[in-house]
Amino acid sequence: MSQSDDLEPFRALLGATGVLTEPGMIRPYCRDHRELMEGATPAVLRPRTVEEVQGLVRLARSGGFGLVPQGGNTGYVGGATPEPGRRQCVVSLERMARIRSVDPLGFTLACDAGTILAEAQAAAAGHGLFLPLSLGSEGSCRLGGNIGTNAGGLQVLRYGMTRDLVLGIEAVLADGSLFSDMRHLRKNNIGIDLKQAFIGAEGALGIVTGVVLKLWPAQAHRATAWLQLAADAPVPEIAATVRRETADLASTFELISAASLALVGEMRGADPGLQAGPGGAVLLELQSSSARIPLEEVLLGTLEELLERGFLEDAVLAQSEAQRRAMWTIRETIPEAEKHAGGSVKHDIAVPVSRIADFLERGGALLAERLPGVRLSFYGHVGDGNIHYNLVVPPGEDRLAFTRAIEAGIAHDLYALAAELGGSFSAEYGIGRFKRDLLARYSDETRLALLAGVKNAFDPDGVMNAGIWFAQDR
Amino acid sequence: MSQSDDLEPFRALLGATGVLTEPGMIRPYCRDHRELMEGATPAVLRPRTVEEVQGLVRLARSGGFGLVPQGGNTGYVGGATPEPGRRQCVVSLERMARIRSVDPLGFTLACDAGTILAEAQAAAAGHGLFLPLSLGSEGSCRLGGNIGTNAGGLQVLRYGMTRDLVLGIEAVLADGSLFSDMRHLRKNNIGIDLKQAFIGAEGALGIVTGVVLKLWPAQAHRATAWLQLAADAPVPEIAATVRRETADLASTFELISAASLALVGEMRGADPGLQAGPGGAVLLELQSSSARIPLEEVLLGTLEELLERGFLEDAVLAQSEAQRRAMWTIRETIPEAEKHAGGSVKHDIAVPVSRIADFLERGGALLAERLPGVRLSFYGHVGDGNIHYNLVVPPGEDRLAFTRAIEAGIAHDLYALAAELGGSFSAEYGIGRFKRDLLARYSDETRLALLAGVKNAFDPDGVMNAGIWFAQDR
């Protein structure tokens, strides 16, 4: 039977538009977002219903295909990219993007896993509610992918990671059966909370088809400031002071290095209009659903305290939505500015919040010694201990070659430093296919055996996204 | 070899005081908190270190003993009670109660799993920090038990369940190996988050020996009120209004029925000093770490809005710490007042917040029809959709006989009603040995198979707390 005949049952199930095989059509699904890996697939499957997902899983088993679930394909670690040689069909959830319900009194939203994050945000907003998950890719990433990677983003400080927002999950398992746990409950203690296993599992335990998310009241009131940090400003102490003085109404505390700010200026060909202090800059935002909170006064008082303690050189309060947008745009365009400068090699570091200064100091010394000419762009969610620590590709150097050299070299020293400080080589991106070696290096045998054991409990034949976590099947 | 000889290796490992066998000594460990089950054990093992836990697990395996981990033995579902006939040693963590570290900048606390919750709270407070987990039993329950049951309690509304507070876990597995994940990280995406499996697992996957918890800044500022609800007051809408108008600074929203309040009065032999309205009463508390938030104004404004909309008959603002304590004492003594009245049969119901009124109305009709004379005491964390729906044992009736009759009868109708409304038969107590039949009834085969599969991945020989979840080993 030829390969195309193998796909006939899928066409019968999903219709002609549900099975893509034309090379030009499937290429975008086969390539990871950062264009570091060119995958290969016999077909991209595009189900429209949960039943179709169940059917295609059964067909894949009987036809000997593996499956790679894919949402918006915006991941950074190759977790949704089919591996050449594995005969994996991509299962794109893009045609399952229905908002199922919004409950304004229960503060919940239920939707298909293929829903684009921004559309879920908009559905919540339409009911006077707020979905706090917010990422640079929110206009194209899909909730199933957010769940698979336990996405973090720009408002974790106050609202938590994706895990903290998930109340319910529905997923098709490797045998085609349905795990249905679409609860709208904040409390439900009935043994192991199995749905937790799918969060961060990068599609290796099943195909998530539906999700129930926690919502908040609409955050109609905001106060935003741009902080210029003094030399040697103690970032963890500033973050702690902000938490305390704002009663944890601070939703964003983003450190932006002077170098990252400079990259934004270079891309624009103009001064970005805001300066970093010697210690860098911080984008700080407070949110409130209540007009009864004097948010601007709270922010001003907090900034005054930070200024008095000598932590800041200056601070700028956004006086209008346009000024606020200008501050946010700087933060949001850093990845693009790195790309404009020739690309970057990204390190998604986490350390305990109290060790951030240690990491920055010792990481900087490492770079200065080993790669003196290379530009460092660091920024990120330091309120959560998460630093995006990126090395800009030097002018004239080949991006892929530079990436490989860094990842085979100094990256390991940076990860070792993070580990020494109690940190992690993957704060929010995940493992996928790019960090398999790091997972092996920084896990003991007990962890790896449990990981393989849980995988085996859900997917004994390795149908789901084989190749992530482990290069060789365990 | 006699039974006592079998225990010699444990004595050699743990010392004489580490192995209790004298009937009078072991009885408190064998009986569940509600005195519904009288268990039996060859010995109570009391390790002092993680290494001793590893050693005793290996000895138990080779000696053919099962193990039942136990913290403060304050659970409500017999999850820590050794079953007669199973030859299970109790492993009490009471001698592993050390605070390991507190990080005031990172907002974390690490401690042994045997630490009493109140002592962990105090350790946090000693550093100007706040551990929000708060339960009636906090003076005697231990953190390992809180993790095993994913404890909820009185401040879930703002801070979440135990799961939401856990950053790191250390646990001894059934083969004696150590799962060590004592991270102080808010973000760490490295495949399945295995530690989640232990949270709510009631000791069936391993013996949790250590934990890292998230802390908050000390909540030095509080505003507390007692709300008298109008007839047919829409509780979900009141809770939603409170969330919005207080900017989610509300940490407690506890509904107290007039009947529960009356029981408190009867126990005291005096009017409790605060009245319920026709719709019952609500204990509402706001917390803030910042003096910059005008907390009392926020609360007053919120109450005014609720009064204007006709939801309240009246509201009393606590004007002093003594008044605040008086309000809290009423809420906290309800379980004792039920006991004083002869005991109660407890139903730990969860429904989506927006369905609370439906549950109360239809549940009340069921009771009126089927058990017209029986007193209902309901109260609880309705801001989270959790209602403690308790039937008071009628005067003169035998408590255990009444309990069995209710649990074989109307309890099933109440659980069926909760399920119909998208709810759960166990919001925060867990399954243990008392709710095994309910787990089977309200789970489909997919869920049960996954539960058994995960259990098998962690504990293939069923050493850990056999008998919970499943009456027969799967």
Side-chain angles (χ1 to χ4, degrees):
Chain A
M1 199 157 67
S2 79
Q3 196 178 34
S4 102
D5 286 337
D6 286 1
L7 298 171
E8 274 313 309
F10 291 111
R11 288 200 189 88
L13 176 73
L14 305 173
T17 59
V19 183
L20 307 182
T21 54
E22 199 270 307
M25 296 281 277
I26 65 175
R27 194 158 183 220
Y29 300 87
C30 288
R31 188 190 259 175
D32 79 290
H33 183 66
R34 288 159 71 195
E35 301 182 0
L36 293 173
M37 177 180 171
E38 196 71 44
T41 187
V44 175
L45 309 176
R46 302 164 70 235
R48 286 158 299 194
T49 65
V50 173
E51 293 70 26
E52 285 187 359
V53 176
Q54 292 183 274
L56 75 84
V57 168
R58 293 193 184 105
L59 290 177
R61 285 184 80 84
S62 59
F65 292 96
L67 296 172
V68 175
Q70 190 174 99
N73 196 20
T74 59
Y76 275 179
V77 292
T81 307
E83 268 178 275
R86 282 195 184 266
R87 202 170 182 245
Q88 294 171 316
C89 294
V90 172
V91 182
S92 170
L93 276 283
E94 64 196 348
R95 298 205 294 178
M96 291 177 63
R98 197 170 45 98
I99 303 291
R100 298 190 192 175
S101 67
V102 179
D103 177 351
L105 290 179
F107 293 94
T108 60
L109 175 146
C111 66
D112 290 348
T115 304
I116 288 178
L117 172 53
E119 291 177 2
Q121 292 169 344
H127 288 81
L129 300 167
F130 177 58
L131 170 59
L133 184 63
S134 175
L135 322 175
S137 59
E138 62 196 25
S140 51
C141 67
R142 296 174 190 271
L143 278 166
N146 299 143
I147 286 170
T149 57
N150 185 26
L154 294 157
Q155 296 180 148
V156 172
L157 182 65
R158 177 161 168 201
Y159 303 99
M161 303 284 281
T162 296
R163 182 182 310 281
D164 299 297
L165 310 179
V166 172
L167 293 175
I169 278 182
E170 171 193 86
V172 174
L173 304 181
D175 64 357
S177 67
L178 189 67
F179 172 77
S180 182
D181 194 23
M182 289 289 279
R183 306 289 189 123
H184 294 244
L185 300 175
R186 277 153 204 273
K187 292 178 154 186
N188 186 29
N189 277 348
I190 52 167
I192 301 166
D193 188 5
L194 293 163
K195 71 172 178 290
Q196 299 296 333
F198 294 98
I199 304 170
E202 305 184 77
L205 302 187
I207 301 174
V208 174
T209 54
V211 54
V212 184
L213 296 169
K214 274 187 211 169
L215 302 177
W216 272 253
Q219 303 291 308
H221 311 277
R222 288 185 289 222
T224 311
W226 180 271
L227 284 55
Q228 298 170 217
L229 302 188
D232 299 320
V235 173
E237 195 165 340
I238 296 172
T241 304
V242 164
R243 285 196 62 180
R244 191 178 59 243
E245 294 299 317
T246 68
D248 279 307
L249 296 175
S251 45
T252 295
F253 184 99
E254 295 279 307
L255 182 67
I256 298 166
S257 64
S260 302
L261 190 59
L263 288 170
V264 173
E266 286 167 31
M267 178 176 66
R268 294 188 189 173
D271 190 294
L274 289 159
Q275 278 73 50
V282 164
L283 173 62
L284 172 63
E285 185 162 281
L286 277 54
Q287 297 182 338
S288 164
S289 58
S290 171
R292 302 180 197 284
I293 310 280
L295 214 53
E296 218 164 89
E297 271 176 54
V298 172
L299 177 56
L300 274 172
T302 304
L303 294 177
E304 271 164 29
E305 179 174 334
L306 293 172
L307 280 160
E308 274 166 27
R309 291 170 72 186
F311 296 161
L312 308 184
E313 288 213 330
D314 201 358
V316 182
L317 200 74
Q319 302 287 348
S320 65
E321 179 59 22
Q323 281 187 17
R324 175 180 173 267
R325 277 289 359 134
M327 292 176 181
W328 270 99
T329 302
I330 289 175
R331 167 62 186 85
E332 286 168 348
T333 50
I334 298 173
E336 198 185 330
E338 289 178 359
K339 219 168 189 172
H340 179 265
S344 66
V345 185
K346 298 176 193 296
H347 302 92
D348 176 33
I349 301 286
V351 290
V353 179
S354 54
R355 307 309 295 273
I356 287 169
D358 297 328
F359 180 84
L360 291 177
E361 189 185 324
R362 292 175 58 185
L366 256 177
L367 284 177
E369 185 200 323
R370 302 263 302 278
L371 293 169
V374 172
R375 292 175 79 177
L376 168 68
S377 167
F378 69 84
Y379 62 96
H381 327 298
V382 298
D384 325 308
N386 182 192
I387 306 159
H388 296 312
Y389 199 80
N390 301 343
L391 306 184
V392 180
V393 180
E397 284 210 38
D398 177 69
R399 185 174 70 93
L400 285 179
F402 180 75
T403 299
R404 287 192 194 104
I406 293 295
E407 290 186 347
I410 198 162
H412 288 293
D413 302 282
L414 293 170
Y415 293 137
L417 173 59
E420 187 195 326
L421 298 172
S424 170
F425 61 92
S426 179
E428 57 178 16
Y429 295 169
I431 303 296
R433 291 174 174 80
F434 297 170
K435 292 195 172 182
R436 297 186 295 215
D437 60 324
L438 295 170
L439 179 68
R441 185 183 292 233
Y442 290 106
S443 304
D444 59 20
E445 183 51 35
T446 301
R447 168 180 283 278
L448 293 176
L450 285 180
L451 194 54
V454 174
K455 163 76 176 172
N456 186 59
F458 281 77
D459 178 19
D461 301 320
V463 175
M464 296 293 175
N465 215 1
I468 66 157
W469 306 341
F470 306 116
Q472 305 298 322
D473 298 339
R474 279 175 73 106
Chain B
M1 200 155 67
S2 80
Q3 195 177 37
S4 104
D5 286 337
D6 286 1
L7 298 172
E8 273 314 307
F10 291 110
R11 288 200 188 87
L13 176 73
L14 304 173
T17 58
V19 182
L20 307 181
T21 53
E22 200 269 306
M25 295 283 276
I26 64 175
R27 191 154 187 226
Y29 300 86
C30 288
R31 188 188 259 179
D32 78 290
H33 183 65
R34 288 159 70 193
E35 300 182 1
L36 294 173
M37 177 179 172
E38 196 71 44
T41 187
V44 175
L45 309 177
R46 302 164 70 235
R48 287 158 298 194
T49 65
V50 173
E51 293 70 26
E52 285 187 359
V53 177
Q54 293 183 274
L56 75 84
V57 168
R58 293 195 185 103
L59 290 176
R61 284 184 80 84
S62 59
F65 292 96
L67 296 173
V68 175
Q70 191 175 97
N73 196 20
T74 59
Y76 275 179
V77 291
T81 308
E83 267 178 276
R86 283 195 185 266
R87 203 171 182 243
Q88 294 172 314
C89 294
V90 172
V91 182
S92 170
L93 277 282
E94 64 197 347
R95 298 206 294 178
M96 292 177 62
R98 196 170 44 97
I99 303 290
R100 299 190 193 175
S101 66
V102 179
D103 177 351
L105 289 179
F107 293 94
T108 60
L109 176 147
C111 66
D112 290 348
T115 304
I116 288 177
L117 173 53
E119 291 177 4
Q121 292 168 345
H127 288 80
L129 300 168
F130 178 59
L131 171 59
L133 184 63
S134 176
L135 323 174
S137 59
E138 63 197 25
S140 51
C141 66
R142 295 174 191 271
L143 278 166
N146 299 144
I147 287 170
T149 56
N150 184 26
L154 294 158
Q155 297 182 145
V156 171
L157 181 65
R158 176 160 167 201
Y159 303 100
M161 303 284 279
T162 295
R163 183 183 308 283
D164 299 298
L165 310 178
V166 172
L167 294 175
I169 278 183
E170 173 193 84
V172 174
L173 304 181
D175 63 358
S177 66
L178 189 67
F179 172 76
S180 181
D181 194 22
M182 289 289 277
R183 307 287 190 124
H184 294 243
L185 301 175
R186 277 155 203 272
K187 292 179 156 186
N188 186 28
N189 278 347
I190 52 167
I192 299 166
D193 188 5
L194 294 163
K195 72 172 177 291
Q196 300 296 334
F198 295 97
I199 304 170
E202 304 182 78
L205 301 188
I207 301 174
V208 174
T209 54
V211 54
V212 184
L213 296 169
K214 273 186 211 171
L215 303 177
W216 271 253
Q219 303 292 307
H221 311 278
R222 287 185 290 222
T224 310
W226 181 272
L227 284 54
Q228 297 170 218
L229 303 187
D232 299 320
V235 173
E237 194 164 343
I238 295 172
T241 303
V242 164
R243 286 197 61 181
R244 191 178 59 244
E245 294 299 317
T246 68
D248 279 306
L249 294 174
S251 46
T252 295
F253 184 100
E254 295 279 309
L255 182 66
I256 298 166
S257 65
S260 302
L261 189 61
L263 288 170
V264 173
E266 286 168 30
M267 176 176 68
R268 294 189 191 172
D271 189 292
L274 288 158
Q275 279 72 51
V282 164
L283 173 63
L284 172 62
E285 185 162 281
L286 278 52
Q287 296 183 339
S288 165
S289 58
S290 172
R292 303 180 195 285
I293 309 281
L295 214 55
E296 218 164 272
E297 271 176 52
V298 171
L299 178 55
L300 274 172
T302 304
L303 295 177
E304 271 165 29
E305 179 173 334
L306 293 172
L307 280 160
E308 274 165 28
R309 290 169 73 185
F311 296 161
L312 308 184
E313 288 213 332
D314 201 358
V316 183
L317 200 72
Q319 302 287 348
S320 66
E321 179 58 23
Q323 283 187 16
R324 173 179 174 269
R325 278 285 3 129
M327 292 176 182
W328 270 99
T329 302
I330 290 175
R331 167 62 186 85
E332 286 168 349
T333 50
I334 297 173
E336 198 186 329
E338 289 178 359
K339 219 167 189 171
H340 179 266
S344 66
V345 186
K346 298 176 193 295
H347 303 92
D348 176 33
I349 300 285
V351 290
V353 179
S354 54
R355 308 307 296 274
I356 288 169
D358 297 327
F359 181 85
L360 291 177
E361 189 187 324
R362 291 176 58 186
L366 255 176
L367 284 177
E369 186 198 322
R370 301 264 303 278
L371 293 170
V374 172
R375 291 176 79 178
L376 167 69
S377 167
F378 69 85
Y379 61 96
H381 327 298
V382 297
D384 325 308
N386 182 192
I387 306 158
H388 296 311
Y389 198 80
N390 302 342
L391 306 185
V392 180
V393 179
E397 286 211 35
D398 177 70
R399 185 175 69 93
L400 285 179
F402 181 74
T403 299
R404 286 192 196 104
I406 294 295
E407 291 185 348
I410 198 164
H412 289 293
D413 302 282
L414 293 170
Y415 294 137
L417 173 59
E420 186 194 327
L421 298 172
S424 171
F425 61 91
S426 180
E428 58 178 16
Y429 294 169
I431 303 297
R433 292 176 172 78
F434 297 170
K435 293 195 171 183
R436 297 185 294 214
D437 60 323
L438 295 171
L439 180 68
R441 186 183 291 233
Y442 291 106
S443 304
D444 59 20
E445 183 51 34
T446 301
R447 167 180 284 277
L448 294 175
L450 285 180
L451 194 54
V454 174
K455 163 77 175 169
N456 186 58
F458 281 78
D459 178 19
D461 301 320
V463 174
M464 296 292 174
N465 214 1
I468 64 159
W469 307 342
F470 306 115
Q472 305 297 322
D473 299 338
R474 279 176 72 107

